[in-house]
Amino acid sequence: MENSISYIDKVKSHILVHLKTYQHSETIYNASKYSVEAGGKGLRPLLLFTALEALNTDISKGLSAASAIEMIHTYSLIHDDLPAMDNDDLRRGKPTNHIIFGEGTAILAGDNLLNESFNVIAKDKELSAEIRIKLVETIATASGQAGMISGQMLDIEAEERPTSLDELETIHAYKTGALITAPVTAACIIAEAVPEVTESLQNFSEVIGVLFQIKDDILDIEGNPKITGKNIGSDAKKGKVTYVSELGLEGAKTALQQKETEAYRILDSLDELIETAGLRKIVQMFAERDQ
């Protein structure tokens, strides 16, 4: 996992070199660069690199896929923060993109990061054409209407009516979980993992995707704004349905522990097939993070 962490800065550098190489509008480049450099945790690239390590594969092979996923995640945050969506003015402790550059430019910066993410993979000649196609399909599915986009729409619709816990889990399986499963699936594609391992790792990633969202909801209530870089209590103010609103704070913490236990159980079943130490640290990081 230590090697994976050292690669996180390389992801941002890879993104910015790509954007600069194909720059035609300085404004769009600067707006895109602002959000890429805004201090994200890089958890999705870290998950991809750690999965590659677990699969005994050179993590440098995952640089373009990790960069693409981080670009898509960043674009989604730019758009989520817009007045038409969550209307947030603070992200990662800094003014949101539209506060600095205006709504129109922020929309285009998000669009730019989304489209260029696939260009990053397409131009990676270190990967075979077959693997690049599989990566594009996997990441597009996770970020499109079969994944994150539908999750965002369901989340908006849930603000207008009572929502059950089952519906909440469906929302976040798409909205948050899909783009956490994608890095693990991408690693399995790059490593050409056997189906048994791929299926178990995908199940693992689905569990930690829910774990990640539960922790997010908890931090929205009791996190430190100076650490989280976000306003506290914003979900409740917007009437958003969360694990805390459905289960209560203590109930959400119990659900978090249950998902943590389930993630470790899946890794236990993989111990004889892959090296799981790094992935165990990921589970701990997701469960204990303060931002």
Side-chain angles (χ1 to χ4, degrees):
M1 183 176 177
E2 288 73 16
N3 196 23
S4 295
I5 292 173
S6 71
Y7 253 75
I8 299 303
D9 287 339
K10 292 185 179 182
V11 169
K12 289 187 179 181
S13 176
H14 192 65
I15 292 170
L16 294 179
V17 167
H18 173 85
L19 293 177
K20 189 69 174 178
T21 301
Y22 299 98
Q23 172 191 341
H24 290 279
S25 163
E26 185 175 358
T27 301
I28 290 301
Y29 171 75
N30 287 334
S32 302
K33 180 174 181 282
Y34 175 80
S35 290
V36 169
E37 290 187 328
K41 299 177 285 294
L43 294 178
R44 289 157 189 82
L46 179 61
L47 183 55
L48 193 155
F49 293 136
T50 304
L52 283 174
E53 283 185 317
L55 295 165
N56 195 30
T57 300
D58 181 0
I59 65 175
S60 67
K61 293 183 177 181
L63 186 56
S64 63
S67 298
I69 291 170
E70 187 68 3
M71 291 168 81
I72 290 172
H73 174 59
T74 303
Y75 116 75
S76 74
L77 298 182
I78 294 173
H79 284 190
D80 281 356
D81 291 336
L82 289 166
M85 301 283 279
D86 289 347
N87 195 24
D88 282 322
D89 57 9
L90 192 67
R91 169 71 67 178
R92 296 168 172 172
K94 298 179 180 180
T96 48
N97 197 291
H98 68 274
I99 295 294
I100 299 295
F101 296 96
E103 291 181 43
T105 300
I107 291 169
L108 291 174
D111 293 344
N112 182 47
L113 288 169
L114 170 60
N115 285 282
E116 289 301 325
S117 69
F118 298 111
N119 208 2
V120 167
I121 294 175
K123 293 183 180 300
D124 185 352
K125 298 301 190 264
E126 298 300 314
L127 301 175
S128 70
E130 181 180 5
I131 286 179
R132 279 180 278 163
I133 290 169
K134 287 181 179 178
L135 288 173
V136 168
E137 179 184 9
T138 294
I139 296 170
T141 299
S143 58
Q145 66 178 9
M148 183 180 68
I149 294 296
S150 285
Q152 183 65 56
M153 190 70 253
L154 291 170
D155 190 37
I156 292 171
E157 292 171 343
E159 296 176 20
E160 302 170 0
R161 57 176 175 76
T163 304
S164 69
L165 183 59
D166 285 345
E167 288 176 307
L168 178 64
E169 290 178 346
T170 298
I171 289 169
H172 290 303
Y174 290 121
K175 182 182 177 183
T176 304
L179 215 58
I180 288 178
T181 297
V184 174
T185 302
C188 290
I189 291 169
I190 294 166
E192 299 182 89
V194 297
E196 176 187 358
V197 170
T198 297
E199 182 178 356
S200 292
L201 284 177
Q202 285 176 330
N203 290 339
F204 164 78
S205 64
E206 289 169 3
V207 171
I208 65 169
V210 177
L211 183 156
F212 185 90
Q213 185 60 53
I214 296 172
K215 185 65 175 183
D216 244 20
D217 292 350
I218 292 171
L219 287 173
D220 186 67
I221 299 298
E222 59 180 22
N224 183 338
K226 293 181 180 179
I227 298 174
T228 63
K230 295 188 289 187
N231 296 318
I232 299 303
S234 60
D235 288 341
K237 291 175 184 176
K238 296 167 189 168
K240 283 187 173 292
V241 180
T242 68
Y243 284 97
V244 174
S245 71
E246 291 298 299
L247 300 174
L249 184 57
E250 292 307 312
K253 290 181 179 180
T254 298
L256 180 74
Q257 292 173 346
Q258 291 171 342
K259 291 299 178 184
E260 186 177 5
T261 299
E262 187 177 353
Y264 287 133
R265 180 185 58 76
I266 295 172
L267 293 179
D268 288 343
S269 72
L270 283 167
D271 272 338
E272 295 184 3
L273 299 173
I274 63 173
E275 175 53 61
T276 63
L279 292 171
R280 291 177 186 278
K281 291 180 181 178
I282 290 282
V283 177
Q284 182 181 15
M285 180 186 297
F286 276 25
E288 297 179 2
R289 66 193 175 92
D290 57 7
Q291 58 180 321

